[in-house]
Amino acid sequence: METFRKYGNDPFHVVVVHGGPGALGSVAPIARKLGQTRGVLEPLQITTTLEGQIEELRLVVEHNTTLPAMFIGHSWGAWLSALVTAVYPDLVCKLILVSSGPFEEQYVPKIAANRFKRLSPSEQSEYLQLVELLDRSAVPGSVVSLSRLGELSDKADSYDPIVIPNDTTDLEGMANPAEIYQGVWPKAAELQATGDLLRRVATITCPVVALHGDYDPHPAEGVQQPLAATVKDFRMIILEQCGHTPWCERHAKERFFQILEHELSAAH
């Protein structure tokens, strides 16, 4: 079973990494669009540990791209791409973080606070219950509850969304998203809480560009301030009228892809 999809033709220089953990196929619209003019790899992360995901991503990139590659990581995939870049610097020549979570724990409470402003009281209660269930690793992961949590998050995370079709037929049965989330996320949150996440990322020497929507509940300053202070070649670009998923935003989609094209072209 191949844990990746390819778009375009050789050489494969661009890697687009999905979020979650466990959101297989979610960045396919980015990979498909960029693959119209270049070779793009879309890894599908199915390992259920954080260090395992780092190694899984390294291996699929080493075997299927022309190195060094340019990484585009969305949400959790931004963290994962940064962690891989820190451990394997020869793999990556440019790192693009899209809608990244904050790199320090002090910014975390703002995420829920921002989301709650956009949900009804009943939705807030349901959201909290689902998060609590998911965070209890003893509770078997339910794909249904995870998809419902995704629906609520999407509602709170989007400014003016449009529906972008995504073909997930070849992903059926490949992995249990909730199991992946429960296996990976607690360790990732621990890295953030202890400061180890930022310590690792601070060693990155390649150019790092962060793209972030001004309506994204994940606070932009949680990316901007820690990385500007620690990463030597860092830039931040704010997308206006844009939530957590820029390629699905009516007002930001076009600019998002223009910026990606520019950043990918500038790397060569």
Side-chain angles (χ1 to χ4, degrees), residues 65-116:
T65 67
T66 304
L67 298 174
M70 290 172 277
F71 276 47
I72 302 169
H74 174 246
S75 194
W76 151 249
W79 277 16
L80 180 60
S81 297
L83 289 167
V84 169
T85 305
V87 183
Y88 301 106
D90 293 344
L91 236 58
V92 189
C93 61
K94 190 170 203 173
L95 178 60
I96 301 175
L97 310 175
V98 179
S99 310
S100 176
F103 283 85
E104 291 182 302
E105 191 181 34
Q106 61 174 308
Y107 300 98
V108 171
K110 290 188 177 182
I111 302 171
N114 288 337
R115 278 186 173 145
F116 270 38

Side-chain angles (χ1 to χ4, degrees), residues 11 15 40 42 50 87 110 112 147 199 205 214 224 235 247:
V15 181
V40 178
E42 178 200 359
L50 183 134
V87 183
K110 290 188 177 182
S147 66
R199 276 192 291 275
T205 54
D214 63 357
Q224 163 80 41
R235 285 181 293 123
W247 63 95

Side-chain angles (χ1 to χ4, degrees), residues 38-54:
R38 57 174 60 78
V40 178
L41 181 75
E42 178 200 359
L44 304 165
Q45 301 284 142
I46 62 172
T47 306
T48 56
T49 65
L50 183 134
E51 298 300 333
Q53 288 220 346
I54 291 173

Side-chain angles (χ1 to χ4, degrees), residues 11 24-25 46 54 62 104 106 111 121-122 146 148 157 165 173 186 198-200 203 210 237 242 244 250 252-253 260:
L24 279 70
I46 62 172
I54 291 173
E62 279 185 347
E104 291 182 302
Q106 61 174 308
I111 302 171
S122 64
L146 193 63
R148 177 56 182 155
D157 292 2
L198 186 58
R199 276 192 291 275
R200 293 196 198 189
T203 65
I237 300 171
C242 180
H244 190 60
R250 191 180 314 278
K253 178 187 171 191
L260 285 185

